Amino acid sequence: MAEELMLEIVTPEELAFSGKVEEVTVPGSEGEFGVLIGHVPLLSAVKYGELNYTQNNKKTYFAIGTGYAEVTDVKVTLLVESAVEADEIDAEEAKREKDEAEAELSKIGKDDPDFQKVSDALTRAEVKLKVAEKL
Amino acid sequence: MAESLRDIKRQTQAVEKTKQITRAMNMVAASKLKTAQTRMENFRPYAKKIMEVLNSLARRVNTESNPLLTVREAKKVRVILMTSDRGLCGGFNTNTIKAVEGFIKYRTGQGQEVSLITVGKKGRDYFRKKATIIDQRVDVLNNFDISLAQAIGEEVIPSFIDEEYDELYIAYNEFKNVSQQRPVITRLLPVGSVEQEKEEAEVYGDYVYEPSEEELLAQIIPMYLRVLIYRGLLETSAGEHGARMAAMDNATNNCEEMIETLTLKYNKARQAAITAELMDIVGGTEALAKG
């Protein structure tokens, strides 16, 4: 490929990734979308989910938090609250977090003020687990 | 004479020990400062990007569509005050506290009610009896991440929408460099009209927004608040360590000076004692020779 897409993943703690890639798949709030070079400029909300990019025909997976994706024809910038690469995820810990959140969720009702928080935690753990299994 | 010699020696040793402690504290603060500064630097690109996106969105959307942008008459004002948990850092906390005290006085004079949310022990301790403290968080600055800012954000946003208060400010020490921190008080809510860098806005002109601009804005404002709160926390943490480093450096220097003075005093006293003894002996032999 002659031209490549620039990808940057920015979190409050660090610049998690910066480099040229061939393709990116982003978990947008309205559905997952793929980006190739020459994409229409787009600003989209991003939800907890799995992000992957292809570099030298190899896919790399990230579990990312909520935030935004800004897409221009040559560059994708992700502003997310967290980003963990698949090989850095502790699958056992994610499993434990998931179990804990599930147990908590079964105890409290939908009207509980913490419901949203706990179900978010569950989503996060599930995403982590899913991404970890991609390895 | 002999006892005073011992006193001086004891004093010197005590100061020597103090010096060891202040020097150690200085070094600890220096290494913590470095960590805090790195975090601040890593955070900057994220903060900058969020502001850019918010700016471009805010300009395109009707501000009445979002309650967090709505300006109401300010009757009740809330301030998030950030100070350190521990002392021994010079005028670091005093400066912020003074600034906030002045702010409260001014606002109260205008017939507004001021309440506080404190982060860090020092601010809470000072204002405990002097002002209304709605909520306090202590011992959090030692080890925090963005979730702390998120928790604070989740607390202040609903109460703003419910009109529990009309304006929200944040007060902290801005970290300039190790020896310089400046207290700042800035408004967080309602989010002010952010009009700058007009040309850059045009670049964003043709974007496709997903979901709609209004919905995006509704999501990005809380994020923006979180960013500002988090920045305040980072600045406070860096400032605290910087101020402590400077204060401890000063203290170490003072100790050295004191040790020097004490050593000089000790030597003088010792010399005086020797002279007195010699005089005794000489006086004694002379008396013998005469007899």
Side-chain angles (χ1 to χ4, degrees), chain A residues 39-65:
Chain A
H39 197 280
V40 175
L42 168 79
L43 191 67
S44 169
V46 168
K47 59 176 187 193
Y48 291 117
E50 168 202 318
L51 172 137
N52 66 63
Y53 62 82
T54 317
Q55 197 175 28
N56 304 326
N57 289 324
K58 209 178 127 263
K59 273 196 175 180
T60 309
Y61 296 88
F62 272 90
I64 60 169

PDB file of all heavy atoms in Angstrom, chain A residues 39-65:
ATOM      1  N   HIS A  39     -11.019   8.184   4.240  1.00  0.00           N
ATOM      2  CA  HIS A  39     -12.349   8.162   4.852  1.00  0.00           C
ATOM      3  C   HIS A  39     -12.931   9.570   4.913  1.00  0.00           C
ATOM      4  O   HIS A  39     -12.195  10.545   4.981  1.00  0.00           O
ATOM      5  CB  HIS A  39     -12.230   7.575   6.267  1.00  0.00           C
ATOM      6  CG  HIS A  39     -13.526   7.121   6.858  1.00  0.00           C
ATOM      7  ND1 HIS A  39     -14.409   7.986   7.414  1.00  0.00           N
ATOM      8  CD2 HIS A  39     -14.066   5.891   6.967  1.00  0.00           C
ATOM      9  CE1 HIS A  39     -15.456   7.306   7.858  1.00  0.00           C
ATOM     10  NE2 HIS A  39     -15.273   6.018   7.590  1.00  0.00           N
ATOM     11  N   VAL A  40     -14.249   9.654   4.906  1.00  0.00           N
ATOM     12  CA  VAL A  40     -14.925  10.948   5.067  1.00  0.00           C
ATOM     13  C   VAL A  40     -14.635  11.459   6.484  1.00  0.00           C
ATOM     14  O   VAL A  40     -14.639  10.680   7.426  1.00  0.00           O
ATOM     15  CB  VAL A  40     -16.458  10.753   4.906  1.00  0.00           C
ATOM     16  CG1 VAL A  40     -17.203  12.052   5.178  1.00  0.00           C
ATOM     17  CG2 VAL A  40     -16.764  10.204   3.538  1.00  0.00           C
ATOM     18  N   PRO A  41     -14.387  12.777   6.657  1.00  0.00           N
ATOM     19  CA  PRO A  41     -14.165  13.296   8.003  1.00  0.00           C
ATOM     20  C   PRO A  41     -15.349  12.968   8.904  1.00  0.00           C
ATOM     21  O   PRO A  41     -16.500  13.181   8.524  1.00  0.00           O
ATOM     22  CB  PRO A  41     -14.055  14.804   7.796  1.00  0.00           C
ATOM     23  CG  PRO A  41     -13.642  14.961   6.384  1.00  0.00           C
ATOM     24  CD  PRO A  41     -14.218  13.806   5.628  1.00  0.00           C
ATOM     25  N   LEU A  42     -15.049  12.447  10.068  1.00  0.00           N
ATOM     26  CA  LEU A  42     -16.105  11.958  10.943  1.00  0.00           C
ATOM     27  C   LEU A  42     -15.725  12.196  12.399  1.00  0.00           C
ATOM     28  O   LEU A  42     -14.564  12.088  12.774  1.00  0.00           O
ATOM     29  CB  LEU A  42     -16.292  10.457  10.700  1.00  0.00           C
ATOM     30  CG  LEU A  42     -17.135   9.656  11.690  1.00  0.00           C
ATOM     31  CD1 LEU A  42     -18.609   9.879  11.418  1.00  0.00           C
ATOM     32  CD2 LEU A  42     -16.809   8.177  11.570  1.00  0.00           C
ATOM     33  N   LEU A  43     -16.736  12.574  13.162  1.00  0.00           N
ATOM     34  CA  LEU A  43     -16.520  12.686  14.603  1.00  0.00           C
ATOM     35  C   LEU A  43     -17.553  11.800  15.253  1.00  0.00           C
ATOM     36  O   LEU A  43     -18.748  12.004  15.084  1.00  0.00           O
ATOM     37  CB  LEU A  43     -16.713  14.135  15.035  1.00  0.00           C
ATOM     38  CG  LEU A  43     -16.271  14.464  16.444  1.00  0.00           C
ATOM     39  CD1 LEU A  43     -14.769  14.352  16.565  1.00  0.00           C
ATOM     40  CD2 LEU A  43     -16.701  15.865  16.809  1.00  0.00           C
ATOM     41  N   SER A  44     -17.092  10.785  15.956  1.00  0.00           N
ATOM     42  CA  SER A  44     -18.055   9.842  16.509  1.00  0.00           C
ATOM     43  C   SER A  44     -17.759   9.537  17.963  1.00  0.00           C
ATOM     44  O   SER A  44     -16.607   9.525  18.386  1.00  0.00           O
ATOM     45  CB  SER A  44     -18.014   8.547  15.698  1.00  0.00           C
ATOM     46  OG  SER A  44     -18.735   7.536  16.360  1.00  0.00           O
ATOM     47  N   ALA A  45     -18.828   9.310  18.712  1.00  0.00           N
ATOM     48  CA  ALA A  45     -18.646   8.839  20.086  1.00  0.00           C
ATOM     49  C   ALA A  45     -18.206   7.388  20.031  1.00  0.00           C
ATOM     50  O   ALA A  45     -18.547   6.659  19.103  1.00  0.00           O
ATOM     51  CB  ALA A  45     -19.940   8.981  20.855  1.00  0.00           C
ATOM     52  N   VAL A  46     -17.440   6.980  21.029  1.00  0.00           N
ATOM     53  CA  VAL A  46     -16.936   5.622  21.079  1.00  0.00           C
ATOM     54  C   VAL A  46     -17.383   5.015  22.406  1.00  0.00           C
ATOM     55  O   VAL A  46     -17.396   5.696  23.426  1.00  0.00           O
ATOM     56  CB  VAL A  46     -15.389   5.628  20.995  1.00  0.00           C
ATOM     57  CG1 VAL A  46     -14.822   4.274  21.327  1.00  0.00           C
ATOM     58  CG2 VAL A  46     -14.936   6.067  19.621  1.00  0.00           C
ATOM     59  N   LYS A  47     -17.784   3.752  22.359  1.00  0.00           N
ATOM     60  CA  LYS A  47     -18.184   3.115  23.619  1.00  0.00           C
ATOM     61  C   LYS A  47     -17.162   2.048  24.001  1.00  0.00           C
ATOM     62  O   LYS A  47     -16.269   1.735  23.222  1.00  0.00           O
ATOM     63  CB  LYS A  47     -19.573   2.503  23.461  1.00  0.00           C
ATOM     64  CG  LYS A  47     -19.593   1.477  22.350  1.00  0.00           C
ATOM     65  CD  LYS A  47     -20.936   0.803  22.250  1.00  0.00           C
ATOM     66  CE  LYS A  47     -20.820  -0.326  21.248  1.00  0.00           C
ATOM     67  NZ  LYS A  47     -22.016  -0.898  20.808  1.00  0.00           N
ATOM     68  N   TYR A  48     -17.335   1.489  25.203  1.00  0.00           N
ATOM     69  CA  TYR A  48     -16.457   0.409  25.625  1.00  0.00           C
ATOM     70  C   TYR A  48     -16.466  -0.646  24.556  1.00  0.00           C
ATOM     71  O   TYR A  48     -17.514  -1.045  24.079  1.00  0.00           O
ATOM     72  CB  TYR A  48     -16.990  -0.263  26.898  1.00  0.00           C
ATOM     73  CG  TYR A  48     -16.921   0.580  28.109  1.00  0.00           C
ATOM     74  CD1 TYR A  48     -18.069   0.961  28.775  1.00  0.00           C
ATOM     75  CD2 TYR A  48     -15.688   1.009  28.582  1.00  0.00           C
ATOM     76  CE1 TYR A  48     -18.000   1.744  29.908  1.00  0.00           C
ATOM     77  CE2 TYR A  48     -15.609   1.792  29.700  1.00  0.00           C
ATOM     78  CZ  TYR A  48     -16.768   2.158  30.359  1.00  0.00           C
ATOM     79  OH  TYR A  48     -16.702   2.929  31.456  1.00  0.00           O
ATOM     80  N   GLY A  49     -15.323  -1.118  24.189  1.00  0.00           N
ATOM     81  CA  GLY A  49     -15.353  -2.148  23.180  1.00  0.00           C
ATOM     82  C   GLY A  49     -13.976  -2.525  22.702  1.00  0.00           C
ATOM     83  O   GLY A  49     -12.952  -2.129  23.269  1.00  0.00           O
ATOM     84  N   GLU A  50     -14.004  -3.248  21.607  1.00  0.00           N
ATOM     85  CA  GLU A  50     -12.766  -3.777  21.078  1.00  0.00           C
ATOM     86  C   GLU A  50     -12.358  -2.966  19.860  1.00  0.00           C
ATOM     87  O   GLU A  50     -13.148  -2.715  18.963  1.00  0.00           O
ATOM     88  CB  GLU A  50     -13.011  -5.244  20.688  1.00  0.00           C
ATOM     89  CG  GLU A  50     -11.929  -5.845  19.865  1.00  0.00           C
ATOM     90  CD  GLU A  50     -12.457  -7.039  19.083  1.00  0.00           C
ATOM     91  OE1 GLU A  50     -13.221  -7.827  19.657  1.00  0.00           O
ATOM     92  OE2 GLU A  50     -12.126  -7.151  17.899  1.00  0.00           O
ATOM     93  N   LEU A  51     -11.121  -2.539  19.881  1.00  0.00           N
ATOM     94  CA  LEU A  51     -10.604  -1.813  18.735  1.00  0.00           C
ATOM     95  C   LEU A  51      -9.484  -2.662  18.146  1.00  0.00           C
ATOM     96  O   LEU A  51      -8.731  -3.296  18.887  1.00  0.00           O
ATOM     97  CB  LEU A  51     -10.037  -0.471  19.208  1.00  0.00           C
ATOM     98  CG  LEU A  51      -9.276   0.369  18.177  1.00  0.00           C
ATOM     99  CD1 LEU A  51      -9.696   1.807  18.312  1.00  0.00           C
ATOM    100  CD2 LEU A  51      -7.772   0.263  18.338  1.00  0.00           C
ATOM    101  N   ASN A  52      -9.430  -2.727  16.847  1.00  0.00           N
ATOM    102  CA  ASN A  52      -8.270  -3.412  16.289  1.00  0.00           C
ATOM    103  C   ASN A  52      -7.747  -2.689  15.067  1.00  0.00           C
ATOM    104  O   ASN A  52      -8.473  -1.986  14.380  1.00  0.00           O
ATOM    105  CB  ASN A  52      -8.584  -4.880  15.991  1.00  0.00           C
ATOM    106  CG  ASN A  52      -9.602  -5.032  14.892  1.00  0.00           C
ATOM    107  OD1 ASN A  52      -9.352  -4.643  13.759  1.00  0.00           O
ATOM    108  ND2 ASN A  52     -10.760  -5.583  15.235  1.00  0.00           N
ATOM    109  N   TYR A  53      -6.454  -2.819  14.861  1.00  0.00           N
ATOM    110  CA  TYR A  53      -5.868  -2.229  13.657  1.00  0.00           C
ATOM    111  C   TYR A  53      -4.983  -3.267  12.980  1.00  0.00           C
ATOM    112  O   TYR A  53      -4.504  -4.214  13.601  1.00  0.00           O
ATOM    113  CB  TYR A  53      -5.087  -0.958  13.981  1.00  0.00           C
ATOM    114  CG  TYR A  53      -3.913  -1.138  14.895  1.00  0.00           C
ATOM    115  CD1 TYR A  53      -2.680  -1.572  14.401  1.00  0.00           C
ATOM    116  CD2 TYR A  53      -4.012  -0.849  16.249  1.00  0.00           C
ATOM    117  CE1 TYR A  53      -1.596  -1.723  15.239  1.00  0.00           C
ATOM    118  CE2 TYR A  53      -2.938  -1.001  17.095  1.00  0.00           C
ATOM    119  CZ  TYR A  53      -1.724  -1.441  16.587  1.00  0.00           C
ATOM    120  OH  TYR A  53      -0.659  -1.601  17.406  1.00  0.00           O
ATOM    121  N   THR A  54      -4.800  -3.079  11.695  1.00  0.00           N
ATOM    122  CA  THR A  54      -3.970  -3.995  10.931  1.00  0.00           C
ATOM    123  C   THR A  54      -2.682  -3.275  10.539  1.00  0.00           C
ATOM    124  O   THR A  54      -2.722  -2.193   9.971  1.00  0.00           O
ATOM    125  CB  THR A  54      -4.680  -4.443   9.648  1.00  0.00           C
ATOM    126  OG1 THR A  54      -6.029  -4.732   9.990  1.00  0.00           O
ATOM    127  CG2 THR A  54      -4.027  -5.651   9.046  1.00  0.00           C
ATOM    128  N   GLN A  55      -1.595  -3.875  10.922  1.00  0.00           N
ATOM    129  CA  GLN A  55      -0.293  -3.301  10.592  1.00  0.00           C
ATOM    130  C   GLN A  55       0.543  -4.452  10.052  1.00  0.00           C
ATOM    131  O   GLN A  55       0.681  -5.487  10.706  1.00  0.00           O
ATOM    132  CB  GLN A  55       0.331  -2.726  11.870  1.00  0.00           C
ATOM    133  CG  GLN A  55       1.466  -1.776  11.617  1.00  0.00           C
ATOM    134  CD  GLN A  55       1.952  -1.165  12.920  1.00  0.00           C
ATOM    135  OE1 GLN A  55       1.844  -1.752  13.982  1.00  0.00           O
ATOM    136  NE2 GLN A  55       2.487   0.037  12.847  1.00  0.00           N
ATOM    137  N   ASN A  56       1.096  -4.285   8.865  1.00  0.00           N
ATOM    138  CA  ASN A  56       1.846  -5.355   8.199  1.00  0.00           C
ATOM    139  C   ASN A  56       1.068  -6.671   8.184  1.00  0.00           C
ATOM    140  O   ASN A  56       1.571  -7.727   8.542  1.00  0.00           O
ATOM    141  CB  ASN A  56       3.196  -5.589   8.886  1.00  0.00           C
ATOM    142  CG  ASN A  56       4.003  -4.316   8.952  1.00  0.00           C
ATOM    143  OD1 ASN A  56       3.926  -3.483   8.040  1.00  0.00           O
ATOM    144  ND2 ASN A  56       4.735  -4.144  10.020  1.00  0.00           N
ATOM    145  N   ASN A  57      -0.203  -6.562   7.820  1.00  0.00           N
ATOM    146  CA  ASN A  57      -1.097  -7.723   7.731  1.00  0.00           C
ATOM    147  C   ASN A  57      -1.299  -8.452   9.048  1.00  0.00           C
ATOM    148  O   ASN A  57      -1.690  -9.612   9.081  1.00  0.00           O
ATOM    149  CB  ASN A  57      -0.582  -8.720   6.686  1.00  0.00           C
ATOM    150  CG  ASN A  57      -0.757  -8.156   5.292  1.00  0.00           C
ATOM    151  OD1 ASN A  57      -1.752  -7.474   5.020  1.00  0.00           O
ATOM    152  ND2 ASN A  57       0.219  -8.394   4.439  1.00  0.00           N
ATOM    153  N   LYS A  58      -0.982  -7.785  10.138  1.00  0.00           N
ATOM    154  CA  LYS A  58      -1.170  -8.420  11.440  1.00  0.00           C
ATOM    155  C   LYS A  58      -2.132  -7.575  12.263  1.00  0.00           C
ATOM    156  O   LYS A  58      -2.007  -6.361  12.320  1.00  0.00           O
ATOM    157  CB  LYS A  58       0.185  -8.512  12.148  1.00  0.00           C
ATOM    158  CG  LYS A  58       0.275  -9.681  13.097  1.00  0.00           C
ATOM    159  CD  LYS A  58       1.666  -9.724  13.705  1.00  0.00           C
ATOM    160  CE  LYS A  58       1.624  -9.766  15.209  1.00  0.00           C
ATOM    161  NZ  LYS A  58       1.776  -8.556  15.922  1.00  0.00           N
ATOM    162  N   LYS A  59      -3.067  -8.253  12.889  1.00  0.00           N
ATOM    163  CA  LYS A  59      -4.055  -7.516  13.670  1.00  0.00           C
ATOM    164  C   LYS A  59      -3.632  -7.379  15.126  1.00  0.00           C
ATOM    165  O   LYS A  59      -3.126  -8.327  15.714  1.00  0.00           O
ATOM    166  CB  LYS A  59      -5.412  -8.236  13.615  1.00  0.00           C
ATOM    167  CG  LYS A  59      -6.220  -7.812  12.418  1.00  0.00           C
ATOM    168  CD  LYS A  59      -7.668  -8.194  12.546  1.00  0.00           C
ATOM    169  CE  LYS A  59      -8.417  -7.614  11.357  1.00  0.00           C
ATOM    170  NZ  LYS A  59      -9.809  -7.896  11.341  1.00  0.00           N
ATOM    171  N   THR A  60      -3.836  -6.193  15.671  1.00  0.00           N
ATOM    172  CA  THR A  60      -3.575  -5.978  17.091  1.00  0.00           C
ATOM    173  C   THR A  60      -4.867  -5.513  17.733  1.00  0.00           C
ATOM    174  O   THR A  60      -5.586  -4.699  17.161  1.00  0.00           O
ATOM    175  CB  THR A  60      -2.487  -4.907  17.279  1.00  0.00           C
ATOM    176  OG1 THR A  60      -1.370  -5.233  16.472  1.00  0.00           O
ATOM    177  CG2 THR A  60      -2.061  -4.816  18.732  1.00  0.00           C
ATOM    178  N   TYR A  61      -5.140  -6.049  18.933  1.00  0.00           N
ATOM    179  CA  TYR A  61      -6.406  -5.737  19.601  1.00  0.00           C
ATOM    180  C   TYR A  61      -6.205  -4.882  20.841  1.00  0.00           C
ATOM    181  O   TYR A  61      -5.239  -5.060  21.567  1.00  0.00           O
ATOM    182  CB  TYR A  61      -7.126  -7.031  19.999  1.00  0.00           C
ATOM    183  CG  TYR A  61      -7.533  -7.853  18.815  1.00  0.00           C
ATOM    184  CD1 TYR A  61      -6.654  -8.779  18.268  1.00  0.00           C
ATOM    185  CD2 TYR A  61      -8.778  -7.683  18.233  1.00  0.00           C
ATOM    186  CE1 TYR A  61      -7.012  -9.534  17.155  1.00  0.00           C
ATOM    187  CE2 TYR A  61      -9.146  -8.433  17.136  1.00  0.00           C
ATOM    188  CZ  TYR A  61      -8.263  -9.349  16.601  1.00  0.00           C
ATOM    189  OH  TYR A  61      -8.631 -10.082  15.511  1.00  0.00           O
ATOM    190  N   PHE A  62      -7.135  -3.983  21.048  1.00  0.00           N
ATOM    191  CA  PHE A  62      -7.142  -3.139  22.240  1.00  0.00           C
ATOM    192  C   PHE A  62      -8.530  -3.198  22.878  1.00  0.00           C
ATOM    193  O   PHE A  62      -9.529  -3.274  22.159  1.00  0.00           O
ATOM    194  CB  PHE A  62      -6.902  -1.675  21.853  1.00  0.00           C
ATOM    195  CG  PHE A  62      -5.461  -1.275  21.800  1.00  0.00           C
ATOM    196  CD1 PHE A  62      -4.737  -1.389  20.624  1.00  0.00           C
ATOM    197  CD2 PHE A  62      -4.841  -0.746  22.926  1.00  0.00           C
ATOM    198  CE1 PHE A  62      -3.412  -0.993  20.567  1.00  0.00           C
ATOM    199  CE2 PHE A  62      -3.519  -0.348  22.874  1.00  0.00           C
ATOM    200  CZ  PHE A  62      -2.797  -0.471  21.693  1.00  0.00           C
ATOM    201  N   ALA A  63      -8.567  -3.131  24.209  1.00  0.00           N
ATOM    202  CA  ALA A  63      -9.851  -2.906  24.891  1.00  0.00           C
ATOM    203  C   ALA A  63      -9.858  -1.433  25.246  1.00  0.00           C
ATOM    204  O   ALA A  63      -8.967  -0.947  25.938  1.00  0.00           O
ATOM    205  CB  ALA A  63      -9.936  -3.746  26.155  1.00  0.00           C
ATOM    206  N   ILE A  64     -10.847  -0.690  24.745  1.00  0.00           N
ATOM    207  CA  ILE A  64     -10.835   0.739  25.003  1.00  0.00           C
ATOM    208  C   ILE A  64     -12.083   1.180  25.757  1.00  0.00           C
ATOM    209  O   ILE A  64     -13.122   0.518  25.722  1.00  0.00           O
ATOM    210  CB  ILE A  64     -10.676   1.576  23.711  1.00  0.00           C
ATOM    211  CG1 ILE A  64     -11.821   1.315  22.752  1.00  0.00           C
ATOM    212  CG2 ILE A  64      -9.349   1.285  23.050  1.00  0.00           C
ATOM    213  CD1 ILE A  64     -11.850   2.289  21.616  1.00  0.00           C
ATOM    214  N   GLY A  65     -11.947   2.325  26.437  1.00  0.00           N
ATOM    215  CA  GLY A  65     -13.050   2.897  27.200  1.00  0.00           C
ATOM    216  C   GLY A  65     -13.818   3.887  26.356  1.00  0.00           C
ATOM    217  O   GLY A  65     -13.549   4.053  25.172  1.00  0.00           O
TER     218      GLY A  65
END
